[in-house]
Amino acid sequence: MNRHGEIVLSEGKGLRDLGGAPGQLVGLNIHALTLAFTPLGSIYERVQAGEAIAERLQVADRTLDIRAEPLQSGEGDFDGFVAVATDVTDLDVAGRALVQSQKMESLGILAGGIAHDFNNVLATILTVAGALRRSPALGPDEREYLETIDLAARRGAEVAGRVLAFARGGTANLIPADLREVITEVANLATPALRRTAAVRTSIPPEPVVVECDRGQLTQALLNMVLNARDALPRGGEVRLALTCVGRQAVITVADNGHGMDEATRARIFEPFFTTKPPGQGTGLGLAVAQGIVANLNGAISVTSSPGEGTTF
Ligand SMILES: Nc1ncnc2c1ncn2[C@@H]1O[C@H](COP(=O)(O)OP(=O)(O)O)[C@@H](O)[C@H]1O
Ligand SMILES: [Mg+2]
């Protein structure tokens, strides 16, 4: 751009991304442009005042790295400027995804370490409670207390196990398995956990549906979803576990007719440690773990839910 604010050189494919053509700006005045791209207006003013600029700007849906240098005439007056805008939108998105995956990785390592130590503590509690239970001197009250200790420690160990599964993420043991058996196992495992008012109903095809998967991990993932469904059914209801095949893909559905969730909750459910449950009842890891496990199988989890309408994973 020369000292009159007239553009004398305009090149590069970045313009095309903004809906223009290279060279299109030649002959135009900067003032016409800055009206269209307001953030550029303030850059122009600063460069005119002699400042060299290097900054990142959002123009429409693009992220641009802008470098601008004022040019000076022999007498030291403003003599136009040179500006280069590099479109870094895609780099930016990739960068953010990388930061997110690194965060998840360090979270996994941290969580795995804690879960491991936690498991050792719980193992001691369970062993000692087991030994005490064999004592003939115990009265009925003490026995009941011991049962409570035992139950709480087991629940803690379950949580630690889930954290470990989440932390391990990457080491699935893939073996062909009939998903019908996995579904039946999940239903059997879940039944005692469902209060008498809620029921699990399964629907499976007559033919085997064999996929390579880590059976233990997949069971864990589905169980997490079934237990969430139970929690969404405080006054009872039904959890439906269904298996179907769509082309070469197996689709497992976990549906409940519980209280559902609003959009704000739905947007966060896969975040580790996001929970809407009271302390002691929710870890916020169930779906983060499930998502990790399913992603390992090259699968994906989607969800539909609305308040009062139930939830389907
Ligand atoms: N079937 C469901 N119905 C309603 N809300 C659900 C359901 N499944 C998950 N959620 C919501 O997602 C949150 C996160 O679930 P999860 O990761 O399993 O952690 P937690 O169960 O420990 O809270 C829950 O606290 C709940 O708000
Ligand atoms: Mg859960």
Side-chain angles (χ1 to χ4, degrees), residues 162 224-225 228-232 256 258-261 265 268-271 273-277 281-289 305 310-313:
R162 263 181 267 153
N224 290 353
M225 287 184 249
N228 281 342
R230 172 205 59 189
D231 292 344
D256 66 69
H259 57 55
M261 48 191 140
T265 302
R268 300 191 59 196
I269 54 174
F270 295 107
E271 281 177 27
F273 305 115
F274 172 79
T275 180
T276 55
K277 296 169 193 174
Q281 284 181 37
T283 58
L285 285 169
L287 290 176
V289 168
S305 182
T311 302
T312 302
F313 283 94

PDB file of all heavy atoms in Angstrom, residues 162 224-225 228-232 256 258-261 265 268-271 273-277 281-289 305 310-313, ligand 1:
ATOM      1  N   ARG A 162     -12.720 -48.158  37.456  1.00  0.00           N
ATOM      2  CA  ARG A 162     -13.183 -47.367  36.314  1.00  0.00           C
ATOM      3  C   ARG A 162     -12.146 -46.315  35.944  1.00  0.00           C
ATOM      4  O   ARG A 162     -11.880 -46.064  34.774  1.00  0.00           O
ATOM      5  CB  ARG A 162     -14.508 -46.685  36.655  1.00  0.00           C
ATOM      6  CG  ARG A 162     -15.701 -47.475  36.142  1.00  0.00           C
ATOM      7  CD  ARG A 162     -16.975 -46.758  36.476  1.00  0.00           C
ATOM      8  NE  ARG A 162     -17.507 -47.249  37.736  1.00  0.00           N
ATOM      9  CZ  ARG A 162     -18.281 -46.539  38.554  1.00  0.00           C
ATOM     10  NH1 ARG A 162     -18.584 -45.292  38.257  1.00  0.00           N
ATOM     11  NH2 ARG A 162     -18.736 -47.067  39.653  1.00  0.00           N
ATOM     12  N   ASN A 224     -21.629 -48.797  32.625  1.00  0.00           N
ATOM     13  CA  ASN A 224     -21.647 -47.391  33.044  1.00  0.00           C
ATOM     14  C   ASN A 224     -22.916 -46.706  32.542  1.00  0.00           C
ATOM     15  O   ASN A 224     -23.539 -45.921  33.260  1.00  0.00           O
ATOM     16  CB  ASN A 224     -20.426 -46.641  32.479  1.00  0.00           C
ATOM     17  CG  ASN A 224     -19.132 -47.079  33.129  1.00  0.00           C
ATOM     18  OD1 ASN A 224     -19.141 -47.853  34.084  1.00  0.00           O
ATOM     19  ND2 ASN A 224     -18.012 -46.605  32.613  1.00  0.00           N
ATOM     20  N   MET A 225     -23.294 -47.016  31.306  1.00  0.00           N
ATOM     21  CA  MET A 225     -24.475 -46.362  30.738  1.00  0.00           C
ATOM     22  C   MET A 225     -25.758 -46.889  31.377  1.00  0.00           C
ATOM     23  O   MET A 225     -26.685 -46.128  31.641  1.00  0.00           O
ATOM     24  CB  MET A 225     -24.491 -46.545  29.223  1.00  0.00           C
ATOM     25  CG  MET A 225     -23.430 -45.685  28.550  1.00  0.00           C
ATOM     26  SD  MET A 225     -23.512 -45.786  26.775  1.00  0.00           S
ATOM     27  CE  MET A 225     -22.019 -46.652  26.449  1.00  0.00           C
ATOM     28  N   ASN A 228     -26.103 -45.303  34.731  1.00  0.00           N
ATOM     29  CA  ASN A 228     -26.588 -43.921  34.574  1.00  0.00           C
ATOM     30  C   ASN A 228     -28.096 -43.916  34.339  1.00  0.00           C
ATOM     31  O   ASN A 228     -28.815 -43.065  34.867  1.00  0.00           O
ATOM     32  CB  ASN A 228     -25.907 -43.239  33.384  1.00  0.00           C
ATOM     33  CG  ASN A 228     -24.511 -42.764  33.726  1.00  0.00           C
ATOM     34  OD1 ASN A 228     -24.161 -42.643  34.890  1.00  0.00           O
ATOM     35  ND2 ASN A 228     -23.726 -42.491  32.701  1.00  0.00           N
ATOM     36  N   ALA A 229     -28.544 -44.885  33.516  1.00  0.00           N
ATOM     37  CA  ALA A 229     -29.978 -44.974  33.223  1.00  0.00           C
ATOM     38  C   ALA A 229     -30.746 -45.241  34.526  1.00  0.00           C
ATOM     39  O   ALA A 229     -31.776 -44.614  34.799  1.00  0.00           O
ATOM     40  CB  ALA A 229     -30.238 -46.079  32.210  1.00  0.00           C
ATOM     41  N   ARG A 230     -30.197 -46.137  35.336  1.00  0.00           N
ATOM     42  CA  ARG A 230     -30.840 -46.418  36.629  1.00  0.00           C
ATOM     43  C   ARG A 230     -30.930 -45.133  37.468  1.00  0.00           C
ATOM     44  O   ARG A 230     -31.972 -44.832  38.043  1.00  0.00           O
ATOM     45  CB  ARG A 230     -30.034 -47.464  37.408  1.00  0.00           C
ATOM     46  CG  ARG A 230     -30.551 -47.655  38.826  1.00  0.00           C
ATOM     47  CD  ARG A 230     -29.502 -48.161  39.762  1.00  0.00           C
ATOM     48  NE  ARG A 230     -28.347 -47.263  39.859  1.00  0.00           N
ATOM     49  CZ  ARG A 230     -27.227 -47.569  40.477  1.00  0.00           C
ATOM     50  NH1 ARG A 230     -27.093 -48.747  41.032  1.00  0.00           N
ATOM     51  NH2 ARG A 230     -26.232 -46.698  40.533  1.00  0.00           N
ATOM     52  N   ASP A 231     -29.826 -44.378  37.497  1.00  0.00           N
ATOM     53  CA  ASP A 231     -29.828 -43.153  38.301  1.00  0.00           C
ATOM     54  C   ASP A 231     -30.846 -42.143  37.773  1.00  0.00           C
ATOM     55  O   ASP A 231     -31.285 -41.254  38.513  1.00  0.00           O
ATOM     56  CB  ASP A 231     -28.435 -42.520  38.307  1.00  0.00           C
ATOM     57  CG  ASP A 231     -27.438 -43.392  39.058  1.00  0.00           C
ATOM     58  OD1 ASP A 231     -27.871 -44.286  39.806  1.00  0.00           O
ATOM     59  OD2 ASP A 231     -26.219 -43.186  38.873  1.00  0.00           O
ATOM     60  N   ALA A 232     -31.171 -42.253  36.476  1.00  0.00           N
ATOM     61  CA  ALA A 232     -32.137 -41.315  35.898  1.00  0.00           C
ATOM     62  C   ALA A 232     -33.572 -41.791  36.127  1.00  0.00           C
ATOM     63  O   ALA A 232     -34.523 -41.151  35.686  1.00  0.00           O
ATOM     64  CB  ALA A 232     -31.866 -41.152  34.404  1.00  0.00           C
ATOM     65  N   ASP A 256     -33.339 -45.200  28.186  1.00  0.00           N
ATOM     66  CA  ASP A 256     -34.163 -45.206  29.396  1.00  0.00           C
ATOM     67  C   ASP A 256     -35.292 -44.202  29.238  1.00  0.00           C
ATOM     68  O   ASP A 256     -35.238 -43.317  28.395  1.00  0.00           O
ATOM     69  CB  ASP A 256     -33.317 -44.878  30.637  1.00  0.00           C
ATOM     70  CG  ASP A 256     -32.776 -43.453  30.625  1.00  0.00           C
ATOM     71  OD1 ASP A 256     -33.579 -42.502  30.753  1.00  0.00           O
ATOM     72  OD2 ASP A 256     -31.544 -43.288  30.494  1.00  0.00           O
ATOM     73  N   GLY A 258     -36.171 -42.201  31.684  1.00  0.00           N
ATOM     74  CA  GLY A 258     -35.947 -41.450  32.924  1.00  0.00           C
ATOM     75  C   GLY A 258     -36.083 -39.948  32.743  1.00  0.00           C
ATOM     76  O   GLY A 258     -36.709 -39.480  31.789  1.00  0.00           O
ATOM     77  N   HIS A 259     -35.415 -39.197  33.657  1.00  0.00           N
ATOM     78  CA  HIS A 259     -35.642 -37.740  33.682  1.00  0.00           C
ATOM     79  C   HIS A 259     -34.947 -36.975  32.561  1.00  0.00           C
ATOM     80  O   HIS A 259     -35.199 -35.793  32.364  1.00  0.00           O
ATOM     81  CB  HIS A 259     -35.308 -37.158  35.052  1.00  0.00           C
ATOM     82  CG  HIS A 259     -33.903 -37.420  35.522  1.00  0.00           C
ATOM     83  ND1 HIS A 259     -32.802 -37.084  34.778  1.00  0.00           N
ATOM     84  CD2 HIS A 259     -33.438 -37.992  36.659  1.00  0.00           C
ATOM     85  CE1 HIS A 259     -31.708 -37.429  35.440  1.00  0.00           C
ATOM     86  NE2 HIS A 259     -32.065 -37.995  36.584  1.00  0.00           N
ATOM     87  N   GLY A 260     -34.058 -37.661  31.801  1.00  0.00           N
ATOM     88  CA  GLY A 260     -33.426 -36.986  30.671  1.00  0.00           C
ATOM     89  C   GLY A 260     -32.504 -35.865  31.117  1.00  0.00           C
ATOM     90  O   GLY A 260     -32.192 -35.725  32.303  1.00  0.00           O
ATOM     91  N   MET A 261     -32.047 -35.083  30.172  1.00  0.00           N
ATOM     92  CA  MET A 261     -31.164 -33.955  30.542  1.00  0.00           C
ATOM     93  C   MET A 261     -31.348 -32.791  29.578  1.00  0.00           C
ATOM     94  O   MET A 261     -31.806 -32.977  28.451  1.00  0.00           O
ATOM     95  CB  MET A 261     -29.702 -34.384  30.584  1.00  0.00           C
ATOM     96  CG  MET A 261     -29.236 -35.158  29.385  1.00  0.00           C
ATOM     97  SD  MET A 261     -27.607 -35.883  29.673  1.00  0.00           S
ATOM     98  CE  MET A 261     -27.813 -37.477  28.900  1.00  0.00           C
ATOM     99  N   THR A 265     -26.389 -29.746  30.038  1.00  0.00           N
ATOM    100  CA  THR A 265     -25.823 -30.954  30.636  1.00  0.00           C
ATOM    101  C   THR A 265     -25.305 -31.881  29.540  1.00  0.00           C
ATOM    102  O   THR A 265     -24.176 -32.362  29.589  1.00  0.00           O
ATOM    103  CB  THR A 265     -26.892 -31.694  31.474  1.00  0.00           C
ATOM    104  OG1 THR A 265     -27.378 -30.803  32.466  1.00  0.00           O
ATOM    105  CG2 THR A 265     -26.332 -32.938  32.128  1.00  0.00           C
ATOM    106  N   ARG A 268     -21.881 -31.602  28.137  1.00  0.00           N
ATOM    107  CA  ARG A 268     -20.682 -31.820  28.958  1.00  0.00           C
ATOM    108  C   ARG A 268     -20.515 -33.240  29.475  1.00  0.00           C
ATOM    109  O   ARG A 268     -19.531 -33.537  30.158  1.00  0.00           O
ATOM    110  CB  ARG A 268     -20.724 -30.854  30.158  1.00  0.00           C
ATOM    111  CG  ARG A 268     -20.743 -29.385  29.726  1.00  0.00           C
ATOM    112  CD  ARG A 268     -20.513 -28.482  30.901  1.00  0.00           C
ATOM    113  NE  ARG A 268     -19.245 -28.763  31.549  1.00  0.00           N
ATOM    114  CZ  ARG A 268     -18.928 -28.341  32.778  1.00  0.00           C
ATOM    115  NH1 ARG A 268     -19.796 -27.619  33.461  1.00  0.00           N
ATOM    116  NH2 ARG A 268     -17.761 -28.619  33.297  1.00  0.00           N
ATOM    117  N   ILE A 269     -21.467 -34.126  29.167  1.00  0.00           N
ATOM    118  CA  ILE A 269     -21.471 -35.430  29.845  1.00  0.00           C
ATOM    119  C   ILE A 269     -20.225 -36.282  29.617  1.00  0.00           C
ATOM    120  O   ILE A 269     -19.927 -37.135  30.428  1.00  0.00           O
ATOM    121  CB  ILE A 269     -22.722 -36.261  29.468  1.00  0.00           C
ATOM    122  CG1 ILE A 269     -22.849 -36.392  27.962  1.00  0.00           C
ATOM    123  CG2 ILE A 269     -23.975 -35.648  30.062  1.00  0.00           C
ATOM    124  CD1 ILE A 269     -23.977 -37.331  27.546  1.00  0.00           C
ATOM    125  N   PHE A 270     -19.503 -36.058  28.521  1.00  0.00           N
ATOM    126  CA  PHE A 270     -18.316 -36.894  28.280  1.00  0.00           C
ATOM    127  C   PHE A 270     -17.050 -36.302  28.922  1.00  0.00           C
ATOM    128  O   PHE A 270     -15.990 -36.899  28.859  1.00  0.00           O
ATOM    129  CB  PHE A 270     -18.094 -37.103  26.776  1.00  0.00           C
ATOM    130  CG  PHE A 270     -19.208 -37.897  26.135  1.00  0.00           C
ATOM    131  CD1 PHE A 270     -20.133 -37.276  25.316  1.00  0.00           C
ATOM    132  CD2 PHE A 270     -19.339 -39.251  26.393  1.00  0.00           C
ATOM    133  CE1 PHE A 270     -21.173 -37.999  24.739  1.00  0.00           C
ATOM    134  CE2 PHE A 270     -20.374 -39.990  25.823  1.00  0.00           C
ATOM    135  CZ  PHE A 270     -21.287 -39.366  24.995  1.00  0.00           C
ATOM    136  N   GLU A 271     -17.173 -35.135  29.510  1.00  0.00           N
ATOM    137  CA  GLU A 271     -16.013 -34.547  30.185  1.00  0.00           C
ATOM    138  C   GLU A 271     -15.675 -35.358  31.434  1.00  0.00           C
ATOM    139  O   GLU A 271     -16.565 -35.647  32.231  1.00  0.00           O
ATOM    140  CB  GLU A 271     -16.326 -33.118  30.657  1.00  0.00           C
ATOM    141  CG  GLU A 271     -16.258 -32.076  29.595  1.00  0.00           C
ATOM    142  CD  GLU A 271     -16.643 -30.715  30.144  1.00  0.00           C
ATOM    143  OE1 GLU A 271     -16.474 -30.462  31.358  1.00  0.00           O
ATOM    144  OE2 GLU A 271     -17.141 -29.905  29.344  1.00  0.00           O
ATOM    145  N   PHE A 273     -14.926 -36.122  35.062  1.00  0.00           N
ATOM    146  CA  PHE A 273     -15.292 -35.472  36.331  1.00  0.00           C
ATOM    147  C   PHE A 273     -16.511 -34.565  36.227  1.00  0.00           C
ATOM    148  O   PHE A 273     -16.850 -33.889  37.190  1.00  0.00           O
ATOM    149  CB  PHE A 273     -14.103 -34.701  36.938  1.00  0.00           C
ATOM    150  CG  PHE A 273     -12.883 -35.563  37.122  1.00  0.00           C
ATOM    151  CD1 PHE A 273     -11.720 -35.323  36.409  1.00  0.00           C
ATOM    152  CD2 PHE A 273     -12.912 -36.656  37.973  1.00  0.00           C
ATOM    153  CE1 PHE A 273     -10.605 -36.139  36.546  1.00  0.00           C
ATOM    154  CE2 PHE A 273     -11.813 -37.476  38.124  1.00  0.00           C
ATOM    155  CZ  PHE A 273     -10.654 -37.220  37.414  1.00  0.00           C
ATOM    156  N   PHE A 274     -17.187 -34.561  35.072  1.00  0.00           N
ATOM    157  CA  PHE A 274     -18.438 -33.799  35.035  1.00  0.00           C
ATOM    158  C   PHE A 274     -19.551 -34.687  35.579  1.00  0.00           C
ATOM    159  O   PHE A 274     -19.802 -35.785  35.078  1.00  0.00           O
ATOM    160  CB  PHE A 274     -18.807 -33.349  33.612  1.00  0.00           C
ATOM    161  CG  PHE A 274     -20.179 -32.734  33.565  1.00  0.00           C
ATOM    162  CD1 PHE A 274     -20.366 -31.426  33.980  1.00  0.00           C
ATOM    163  CD2 PHE A 274     -21.290 -33.479  33.160  1.00  0.00           C
ATOM    164  CE1 PHE A 274     -21.644 -30.855  33.986  1.00  0.00           C
ATOM    165  CE2 PHE A 274     -22.566 -32.921  33.166  1.00  0.00           C
ATOM    166  CZ  PHE A 274     -22.730 -31.613  33.570  1.00  0.00           C
ATOM    167  N   THR A 275     -20.205 -34.218  36.630  1.00  0.00           N
ATOM    168  CA  THR A 275     -21.321 -34.965  37.190  1.00  0.00           C
ATOM    169  C   THR A 275     -22.376 -34.004  37.705  1.00  0.00           C
ATOM    170  O   THR A 275     -22.056 -32.895  38.119  1.00  0.00           O
ATOM    171  CB  THR A 275     -20.854 -35.903  38.326  1.00  0.00           C
ATOM    172  OG1 THR A 275     -21.986 -36.608  38.833  1.00  0.00           O
ATOM    173  CG2 THR A 275     -20.189 -35.148  39.468  1.00  0.00           C
ATOM    174  N   THR A 276     -23.638 -34.429  37.658  1.00  0.00           N
ATOM    175  CA  THR A 276     -24.704 -33.611  38.246  1.00  0.00           C
ATOM    176  C   THR A 276     -25.200 -34.292  39.522  1.00  0.00           C
ATOM    177  O   THR A 276     -26.181 -33.880  40.103  1.00  0.00           O
ATOM    178  CB  THR A 276     -25.882 -33.482  37.264  1.00  0.00           C
ATOM    179  OG1 THR A 276     -26.296 -34.801  36.895  1.00  0.00           O
ATOM    180  CG2 THR A 276     -25.489 -32.707  36.023  1.00  0.00           C
ATOM    181  N   LYS A 277     -24.481 -35.361  39.913  1.00  0.00           N
ATOM    182  CA  LYS A 277     -24.927 -36.133  41.083  1.00  0.00           C
ATOM    183  C   LYS A 277     -24.262 -35.622  42.352  1.00  0.00           C
ATOM    184  O   LYS A 277     -23.173 -35.052  42.294  1.00  0.00           O
ATOM    185  CB  LYS A 277     -24.626 -37.612  40.858  1.00  0.00           C
ATOM    186  CG  LYS A 277     -25.439 -38.146  39.682  1.00  0.00           C
ATOM    187  CD  LYS A 277     -25.024 -39.505  39.218  1.00  0.00           C
ATOM    188  CE  LYS A 277     -25.688 -39.769  37.873  1.00  0.00           C
ATOM    189  NZ  LYS A 277     -25.236 -41.003  37.265  1.00  0.00           N
ATOM    190  N   GLN A 281     -22.045 -40.010  45.067  1.00  0.00           N
ATOM    191  CA  GLN A 281     -22.866 -40.796  44.144  1.00  0.00           C
ATOM    192  C   GLN A 281     -22.362 -40.726  42.711  1.00  0.00           C
ATOM    193  O   GLN A 281     -22.596 -41.629  41.926  1.00  0.00           O
ATOM    194  CB  GLN A 281     -24.311 -40.320  44.180  1.00  0.00           C
ATOM    195  CG  GLN A 281     -25.031 -40.789  45.419  1.00  0.00           C
ATOM    196  CD  GLN A 281     -26.468 -40.330  45.415  1.00  0.00           C
ATOM    197  OE1 GLN A 281     -27.118 -40.285  44.385  1.00  0.00           O
ATOM    198  NE2 GLN A 281     -26.960 -39.964  46.579  1.00  0.00           N
ATOM    199  N   GLY A 282     -21.706 -39.623  42.383  1.00  0.00           N
ATOM    200  CA  GLY A 282     -21.221 -39.492  41.004  1.00  0.00           C
ATOM    201  C   GLY A 282     -19.733 -39.203  40.985  1.00  0.00           C
ATOM    202  O   GLY A 282     -19.233 -38.451  41.820  1.00  0.00           O
ATOM    203  N   THR A 283     -19.040 -39.841  40.045  1.00  0.00           N
ATOM    204  CA  THR A 283     -17.608 -39.549  39.878  1.00  0.00           C
ATOM    205  C   THR A 283     -17.395 -38.691  38.637  1.00  0.00           C
ATOM    206  O   THR A 283     -16.357 -38.071  38.469  1.00  0.00           O
ATOM    207  CB  THR A 283     -16.811 -40.845  39.662  1.00  0.00           C
ATOM    208  OG1 THR A 283     -17.343 -41.508  38.504  1.00  0.00           O
ATOM    209  CG2 THR A 283     -16.910 -41.760  40.854  1.00  0.00           C
ATOM    210  N   GLY A 284     -18.368 -38.710  37.758  1.00  0.00           N
ATOM    211  CA  GLY A 284     -18.206 -37.986  36.496  1.00  0.00           C
ATOM    212  C   GLY A 284     -17.254 -38.678  35.550  1.00  0.00           C
ATOM    213  O   GLY A 284     -16.792 -38.085  34.580  1.00  0.00           O
ATOM    214  N   LEU A 285     -16.940 -39.953  35.824  1.00  0.00           N
ATOM    215  CA  LEU A 285     -15.988 -40.652  34.957  1.00  0.00           C
ATOM    216  C   LEU A 285     -16.645 -41.698  34.060  1.00  0.00           C
ATOM    217  O   LEU A 285     -16.056 -42.147  33.084  1.00  0.00           O
ATOM    218  CB  LEU A 285     -14.912 -41.329  35.806  1.00  0.00           C
ATOM    219  CG  LEU A 285     -13.884 -40.360  36.373  1.00  0.00           C
ATOM    220  CD1 LEU A 285     -13.008 -41.047  37.407  1.00  0.00           C
ATOM    221  CD2 LEU A 285     -13.025 -39.774  35.264  1.00  0.00           C
ATOM    222  N   GLY A 286     -17.886 -42.077  34.404  1.00  0.00           N
ATOM    223  CA  GLY A 286     -18.536 -43.177  33.681  1.00  0.00           C
ATOM    224  C   GLY A 286     -18.520 -43.001  32.174  1.00  0.00           C
ATOM    225  O   GLY A 286     -18.083 -43.888  31.435  1.00  0.00           O
ATOM    226  N   LEU A 287     -18.983 -41.857  31.720  1.00  0.00           N
ATOM    227  CA  LEU A 287     -19.096 -41.663  30.272  1.00  0.00           C
ATOM    228  C   LEU A 287     -17.756 -41.312  29.642  1.00  0.00           C
ATOM    229  O   LEU A 287     -17.516 -41.648  28.485  1.00  0.00           O
ATOM    230  CB  LEU A 287     -20.149 -40.598  29.967  1.00  0.00           C
ATOM    231  CG  LEU A 287     -21.581 -41.054  30.254  1.00  0.00           C
ATOM    232  CD1 LEU A 287     -22.557 -39.910  30.014  1.00  0.00           C
ATOM    233  CD2 LEU A 287     -21.956 -42.253  29.402  1.00  0.00           C
ATOM    234  N   ALA A 288     -16.870 -40.663  30.390  1.00  0.00           N
ATOM    235  CA  ALA A 288     -15.527 -40.380  29.858  1.00  0.00           C
ATOM    236  C   ALA A 288     -14.830 -41.711  29.591  1.00  0.00           C
ATOM    237  O   ALA A 288     -14.206 -41.913  28.544  1.00  0.00           O
ATOM    238  CB  ALA A 288     -14.729 -39.528  30.830  1.00  0.00           C
ATOM    239  N   VAL A 289     -14.961 -42.640  30.534  1.00  0.00           N
ATOM    240  CA  VAL A 289     -14.377 -43.969  30.368  1.00  0.00           C
ATOM    241  C   VAL A 289     -15.035 -44.683  29.186  1.00  0.00           C
ATOM    242  O   VAL A 289     -14.353 -45.230  28.314  1.00  0.00           O
ATOM    243  CB  VAL A 289     -14.553 -44.802  31.658  1.00  0.00           C
ATOM    244  CG1 VAL A 289     -14.217 -46.265  31.417  1.00  0.00           C
ATOM    245  CG2 VAL A 289     -13.689 -44.238  32.765  1.00  0.00           C
ATOM    246  N   SER A 305     -31.384 -36.799  24.077  1.00  0.00           N
ATOM    247  CA  SER A 305     -32.031 -36.696  25.381  1.00  0.00           C
ATOM    248  C   SER A 305     -32.729 -35.360  25.485  1.00  0.00           C
ATOM    249  O   SER A 305     -32.279 -34.370  24.903  1.00  0.00           O
ATOM    250  CB  SER A 305     -30.974 -36.786  26.482  1.00  0.00           C
ATOM    251  OG  SER A 305     -31.584 -36.739  27.755  1.00  0.00           O
ATOM    252  N   GLY A 310     -36.526 -38.931  28.673  1.00  0.00           N
ATOM    253  CA  GLY A 310     -35.630 -40.076  28.660  1.00  0.00           C
ATOM    254  C   GLY A 310     -34.390 -39.811  27.824  1.00  0.00           C
ATOM    255  O   GLY A 310     -34.224 -38.734  27.244  1.00  0.00           O
ATOM    256  N   THR A 311     -33.531 -40.822  27.793  1.00  0.00           N
ATOM    257  CA  THR A 311     -32.229 -40.668  27.151  1.00  0.00           C
ATOM    258  C   THR A 311     -31.907 -41.928  26.365  1.00  0.00           C
ATOM    259  O   THR A 311     -32.193 -43.030  26.814  1.00  0.00           O
ATOM    260  CB  THR A 311     -31.149 -40.459  28.237  1.00  0.00           C
ATOM    261  OG1 THR A 311     -31.490 -39.302  29.005  1.00  0.00           O
ATOM    262  CG2 THR A 311     -29.771 -40.266  27.626  1.00  0.00           C
ATOM    263  N   THR A 312     -31.317 -41.742  25.201  1.00  0.00           N
ATOM    264  CA  THR A 312     -30.876 -42.881  24.399  1.00  0.00           C
ATOM    265  C   THR A 312     -29.423 -42.687  23.995  1.00  0.00           C
ATOM    266  O   THR A 312     -29.068 -41.664  23.405  1.00  0.00           O
ATOM    267  CB  THR A 312     -31.739 -43.017  23.128  1.00  0.00           C
ATOM    268  OG1 THR A 312     -33.100 -43.175  23.529  1.00  0.00           O
ATOM    269  CG2 THR A 312     -31.309 -44.222  22.317  1.00  0.00           C
ATOM    270  N   PHE A 313     -28.575 -43.660  24.360  1.00  0.00           N
ATOM    271  CA  PHE A 313     -27.169 -43.657  23.920  1.00  0.00           C
ATOM    272  C   PHE A 313     -27.017 -44.671  22.806  1.00  0.00           C
ATOM    273  O   PHE A 313     -27.585 -45.758  22.884  1.00  0.00           O
ATOM    274  CB  PHE A 313     -26.233 -44.047  25.069  1.00  0.00           C
ATOM    275  CG  PHE A 313     -26.017 -42.935  26.048  1.00  0.00           C
ATOM    276  CD1 PHE A 313     -26.804 -42.853  27.182  1.00  0.00           C
ATOM    277  CD2 PHE A 313     -25.035 -41.985  25.831  1.00  0.00           C
ATOM    278  CE1 PHE A 313     -26.596 -41.828  28.104  1.00  0.00           C
ATOM    279  CE2 PHE A 313     -24.829 -40.966  26.755  1.00  0.00           C
ATOM    280  CZ  PHE A 313     -25.616 -40.884  27.887  1.00  0.00           C
TER     281      PHE A 313
HETATM  282  N1  LIG B   1     -29.251 -41.840  31.110  1.00  0.00           N
HETATM  283  C1  LIG B   1     -29.038 -40.609  31.590  1.00  0.00           C
HETATM  284  N2  LIG B   1     -30.091 -39.795  31.897  1.00  0.00           N
HETATM  285  C2  LIG B   1     -29.880 -38.552  32.381  1.00  0.00           C
HETATM  286  N3  LIG B   1     -28.657 -38.010  32.607  1.00  0.00           N
HETATM  287  C3  LIG B   1     -27.581 -38.754  32.320  1.00  0.00           C
HETATM  288  C4  LIG B   1     -27.704 -40.082  31.798  1.00  0.00           C
HETATM  289  N4  LIG B   1     -26.463 -40.567  31.608  1.00  0.00           N
HETATM  290  C5  LIG B   1     -25.611 -39.604  31.995  1.00  0.00           C
HETATM  291  N5  LIG B   1     -26.263 -38.516  32.431  1.00  0.00           N
HETATM  292  C6  LIG B   1     -25.656 -37.258  32.910  1.00  0.00           C
HETATM  293  O1  LIG B   1     -24.277 -37.298  32.602  1.00  0.00           O
HETATM  294  C7  LIG B   1     -23.495 -37.064  33.774  1.00  0.00           C
HETATM  295  C8  LIG B   1     -22.165 -37.750  33.648  1.00  0.00           C
HETATM  296  O2  LIG B   1     -22.321 -39.154  33.666  1.00  0.00           O
HETATM  297  P1  LIG B   1     -21.087 -40.056  34.096  1.00  0.00           P
HETATM  298  O3  LIG B   1     -19.897 -39.675  33.279  1.00  0.00           O
HETATM  299  O4  LIG B   1     -21.502 -41.486  34.040  1.00  0.00           O
HETATM  300  O5  LIG B   1     -20.793 -39.610  35.566  1.00  0.00           O
HETATM  301  P2  LIG B   1     -21.668 -39.843  36.897  1.00  0.00           P
HETATM  302  O6  LIG B   1     -22.681 -40.924  36.594  1.00  0.00           O
HETATM  303  O7  LIG B   1     -20.673 -40.289  37.905  1.00  0.00           O
HETATM  304  O8  LIG B   1     -22.289 -38.540  37.215  1.00  0.00           O
HETATM  305  C9  LIG B   1     -24.387 -37.518  34.905  1.00  0.00           C
HETATM  306  O9  LIG B   1     -24.053 -36.885  36.128  1.00  0.00           O
HETATM  307  C10 LIG B   1     -25.773 -37.106  34.409  1.00  0.00           C
HETATM  308  O10 LIG B   1     -26.014 -35.733  34.656  1.00  0.00           O
END
